[in-house]
Amino acid sequence: EKRDATFCKKCNHNMHNGGCMETGRGGDWFALQEDTCSVCANNYCPTCKADDNHFGGVCLCLACQRRYCSKCSTMVECEDCDNMCCVGCTYQSQNQCASPECMRAFCNECRPYNTCQHCGKSWCNDCSIRLHLRCDMCNERCCAECSEKEGTNGVHACDECIRNDTFDSLCDKCRLRKCKCCNECCKSCVKIVSDLILKENKQLHDETKSLKEEIKGLKDENNTMMDNITMARIFLNKPGETK
């Protein structure tokens, strides 16, 4: 449906070219929602402010994907990527850094990069680096609390590696691969993945035992088959004959 011209609520400027797009059908222009506030439905051009807040026009919240004028919502800048979020989304728990001493907020686009893949808690980028949340090789994300849980591919920092300017933090699987392929693997790294090494050795031992039992079963089956062939030859009174 074709709409009428869009006018700025404050300066009454016709936003025909700025707030509309051409459909390609005879040069018709249709109004877009990018200059319309999702709450009050008023239109504002980029140079006008709904009130004396810090931004002009209508601003898109990357968390809820709605647009707000400065009268309907305060916009907060994501401190990781500088994108804007409405105050309602910013102060949701999932968009706040999980560090008790940190008050930083971030947008939905930044949150997955610093979210623990096990408990779902999120940290700002600075705290994520400081707390060694991400593996520097595969980007596995695991917080310190979850890293201590049994069976978790935890992310740990090795002080000795940090002093040698190598990887700051690695998940257990990447650290184990590093220890296997690198002759210079430090003692601290070996200690961190010692449980994983023991678990892997036990798994290999169990697999070897299972293969030995399977081979023994195949040998027994083969011996039984040979006995049956011998008995068949005796029964037919043709021992050792072949056709």
Side-chain angles (χ1 to χ4, degrees), residues 183-206:
N183 294 328
E184 298 178 358
C185 186
C186 68
K187 293 181 180 179
S188 298
C189 283
V190 174
K191 185 177 180 180
I192 291 173
V193 295
S194 58
D195 290 341
L196 197 61
I197 293 173
L198 292 173
K199 182 179 179 181
E200 188 175 85
N201 287 341
K202 184 180 183 304
Q203 184 177 353
L204 289 172
H205 178 269
D206 293 342

Short mmCIF file of all heavy atoms in Angstrom, two decimals, residues 183-206:
data_model
loop_
_atom_site.label_atom_id
_atom_site.label_comp_id
_atom_site.label_asym_id
_atom_site.label_seq_id
_atom_site.Cartn_x
_atom_site.Cartn_y
_atom_site.Cartn_z
N ASN A 183 57.36 -30.65 21.86
CA ASN A 183 58.31 -31.21 22.83
C ASN A 183 58.63 -30.23 23.96
O ASN A 183 59.23 -30.62 24.96
CB ASN A 183 59.61 -31.62 22.13
CG ASN A 183 59.40 -32.78 21.16
OD1 ASN A 183 58.55 -33.63 21.40
ND2 ASN A 183 60.16 -32.79 20.08
N GLU A 184 58.26 -28.97 23.76
CA GLU A 184 58.57 -27.95 24.75
C GLU A 184 57.37 -27.65 25.66
O GLU A 184 57.29 -26.59 26.25
CB GLU A 184 59.03 -26.67 24.06
CG GLU A 184 60.31 -26.85 23.25
CD GLU A 184 60.72 -25.58 22.54
OE1 GLU A 184 59.97 -24.58 22.65
OE2 GLU A 184 61.77 -25.57 21.88
N CYS A 185 56.43 -28.56 25.73
CA CYS A 185 55.26 -28.38 26.60
C CYS A 185 55.71 -28.26 28.05
O CYS A 185 56.44 -29.11 28.56
CB CYS A 185 54.30 -29.56 26.44
SG CYS A 185 52.75 -29.36 27.32
N CYS A 186 55.28 -27.19 28.72
CA CYS A 186 55.77 -26.93 30.08
C CYS A 186 55.10 -27.85 31.10
O CYS A 186 54.05 -28.45 30.83
CB CYS A 186 55.53 -25.47 30.45
SG CYS A 186 53.80 -25.03 30.64
N LYS A 187 55.68 -27.94 32.27
CA LYS A 187 55.16 -28.81 33.33
C LYS A 187 53.79 -28.34 33.80
O LYS A 187 52.94 -29.16 34.16
CB LYS A 187 56.14 -28.84 34.49
CG LYS A 187 57.47 -29.52 34.18
CD LYS A 187 58.39 -29.53 35.39
CE LYS A 187 59.72 -30.20 35.06
NZ LYS A 187 60.63 -30.20 36.23
N SER A 188 53.58 -27.02 33.81
CA SER A 188 52.28 -26.49 34.25
C SER A 188 51.16 -26.93 33.33
O SER A 188 50.07 -27.27 33.77
CB SER A 188 52.34 -24.96 34.32
OG SER A 188 53.29 -24.52 35.27
N CYS A 189 51.42 -26.93 32.01
CA CYS A 189 50.42 -27.39 31.04
C CYS A 189 50.10 -28.87 31.24
O CYS A 189 48.93 -29.27 31.18
CB CYS A 189 50.91 -27.15 29.61
SG CYS A 189 50.80 -25.44 29.06
N VAL A 190 51.14 -29.67 31.46
CA VAL A 190 50.94 -31.11 31.69
C VAL A 190 50.10 -31.34 32.94
O VAL A 190 49.22 -32.20 32.97
CB VAL A 190 52.30 -31.83 31.81
CG1 VAL A 190 52.09 -33.30 32.19
CG2 VAL A 190 53.07 -31.73 30.51
N LYS A 191 50.36 -30.53 33.97
CA LYS A 191 49.60 -30.67 35.22
C LYS A 191 48.13 -30.32 35.01
O LYS A 191 47.24 -30.98 35.56
CB LYS A 191 50.22 -29.77 36.29
CG LYS A 191 49.59 -29.92 37.65
CD LYS A 191 50.29 -29.06 38.69
CE LYS A 191 49.65 -29.23 40.07
NZ LYS A 191 50.34 -28.38 41.08
N ILE A 192 47.86 -29.28 34.19
CA ILE A 192 46.48 -28.86 33.95
C ILE A 192 45.68 -29.96 33.27
O ILE A 192 44.52 -30.20 33.60
CB ILE A 192 46.46 -27.56 33.10
CG1 ILE A 192 47.00 -26.38 33.92
CG2 ILE A 192 45.04 -27.24 32.63
CD1 ILE A 192 47.17 -25.10 33.12
N VAL A 193 46.31 -30.65 32.31
CA VAL A 193 45.57 -31.67 31.53
C VAL A 193 45.88 -33.09 32.00
O VAL A 193 45.58 -34.05 31.30
CB VAL A 193 45.90 -31.53 30.02
CG1 VAL A 193 45.39 -30.22 29.48
CG2 VAL A 193 47.39 -31.68 29.77
N SER A 194 46.47 -33.22 33.19
CA SER A 194 46.85 -34.56 33.67
C SER A 194 45.64 -35.49 33.77
O SER A 194 45.72 -36.67 33.39
CB SER A 194 47.55 -34.46 35.03
OG SER A 194 46.70 -33.80 35.99
N ASP A 195 44.51 -34.98 34.28
CA ASP A 195 43.30 -35.81 34.38
C ASP A 195 42.82 -36.25 33.01
O ASP A 195 42.37 -37.39 32.82
CB ASP A 195 42.19 -35.05 35.10
CG ASP A 195 42.49 -34.85 36.58
OD1 ASP A 195 43.34 -35.60 37.11
OD2 ASP A 195 41.89 -33.95 37.21
N LEU A 196 42.92 -35.35 32.03
CA LEU A 196 42.49 -35.67 30.67
C LEU A 196 43.42 -36.71 30.04
O LEU A 196 42.97 -37.60 29.32
CB LEU A 196 42.48 -34.39 29.82
CG LEU A 196 41.69 -34.43 28.51
CD1 LEU A 196 40.22 -34.71 28.78
CD2 LEU A 196 41.83 -33.11 27.76
N ILE A 197 44.72 -36.61 30.34
CA ILE A 197 45.68 -37.60 29.84
C ILE A 197 45.39 -38.98 30.42
O ILE A 197 45.39 -39.99 29.71
CB ILE A 197 47.12 -37.17 30.17
CG1 ILE A 197 47.49 -35.90 29.39
CG2 ILE A 197 48.11 -38.28 29.86
CD1 ILE A 197 48.83 -35.31 29.79
N LEU A 198 45.12 -39.03 31.74
CA LEU A 198 44.79 -40.30 32.39
C LEU A 198 43.49 -40.89 31.82
O LEU A 198 43.39 -42.09 31.59
CB LEU A 198 44.66 -40.09 33.90
CG LEU A 198 45.95 -39.76 34.66
CD1 LEU A 198 45.64 -39.42 36.10
CD2 LEU A 198 46.93 -40.94 34.59
N LYS A 199 42.53 -40.01 31.58
CA LYS A 199 41.24 -40.47 31.03
C LYS A 199 41.43 -41.02 29.62
O LYS A 199 40.85 -42.05 29.26
CB LYS A 199 40.25 -39.30 31.02
CG LYS A 199 38.87 -39.68 30.51
CD LYS A 199 37.93 -38.49 30.55
CE LYS A 199 36.55 -38.87 30.02
NZ LYS A 199 35.62 -37.69 30.04
N GLU A 200 42.25 -40.35 28.83
CA GLU A 200 42.51 -40.81 27.46
C GLU A 200 43.26 -42.13 27.46
O GLU A 200 42.97 -43.02 26.66
CB GLU A 200 43.29 -39.74 26.70
CG GLU A 200 43.44 -40.03 25.21
CD GLU A 200 44.12 -38.92 24.47
OE1 GLU A 200 45.36 -38.90 24.46
OE2 GLU A 200 43.41 -38.06 23.91
N ASN A 201 44.25 -42.27 28.38
CA ASN A 201 45.00 -43.53 28.48
C ASN A 201 44.09 -44.69 28.89
O ASN A 201 44.22 -45.80 28.38
CB ASN A 201 46.14 -43.37 29.49
CG ASN A 201 47.27 -42.51 28.96
OD1 ASN A 201 47.39 -42.32 27.75
ND2 ASN A 201 48.09 -41.98 29.85
N LYS A 202 43.16 -44.42 29.81
CA LYS A 202 42.22 -45.45 30.24
C LYS A 202 41.31 -45.86 29.08
O LYS A 202 41.00 -47.04 28.89
CB LYS A 202 41.38 -44.95 31.42
CG LYS A 202 40.43 -46.01 31.99
CD LYS A 202 39.63 -45.45 33.15
CE LYS A 202 38.73 -46.53 33.76
NZ LYS A 202 37.82 -47.14 32.77
N GLN A 203 40.88 -44.84 28.31
CA GLN A 203 40.02 -45.13 27.17
C GLN A 203 40.76 -45.98 26.14
O GLN A 203 40.19 -46.94 25.59
CB GLN A 203 39.56 -43.81 26.53
CG GLN A 203 38.58 -44.00 25.37
CD GLN A 203 38.10 -42.67 24.82
OE1 GLN A 203 38.39 -41.62 25.37
NE2 GLN A 203 37.38 -42.72 23.74
N LEU A 204 42.04 -45.67 25.89
CA LEU A 204 42.84 -46.45 24.96
C LEU A 204 43.05 -47.88 25.48
O LEU A 204 43.01 -48.84 24.71
CB LEU A 204 44.20 -45.78 24.73
CG LEU A 204 44.20 -44.49 23.91
CD1 LEU A 204 45.57 -43.85 23.93
CD2 LEU A 204 43.75 -44.75 22.48
N HIS A 205 43.25 -48.00 26.80
CA HIS A 205 43.41 -49.33 27.40
C HIS A 205 42.14 -50.16 27.24
O HIS A 205 42.20 -51.35 26.90
CB HIS A 205 43.76 -49.16 28.89
CG HIS A 205 43.91 -50.46 29.62
ND1 HIS A 205 42.84 -51.08 30.26
CD2 HIS A 205 44.99 -51.29 29.79
CE1 HIS A 205 43.26 -52.20 30.80
NE2 HIS A 205 44.56 -52.36 30.54
N ASP A 206 40.98 -49.52 27.47
CA ASP A 206 39.70 -50.23 27.33
C ASP A 206 39.47 -50.64 25.88
O ASP A 206 38.96 -51.74 25.61
CB ASP A 206 38.55 -49.35 27.83
CG ASP A 206 38.61 -49.11 29.33
OD1 ASP A 206 39.30 -49.88 30.03
OD2 ASP A 206 37.98 -48.14 29.81
#
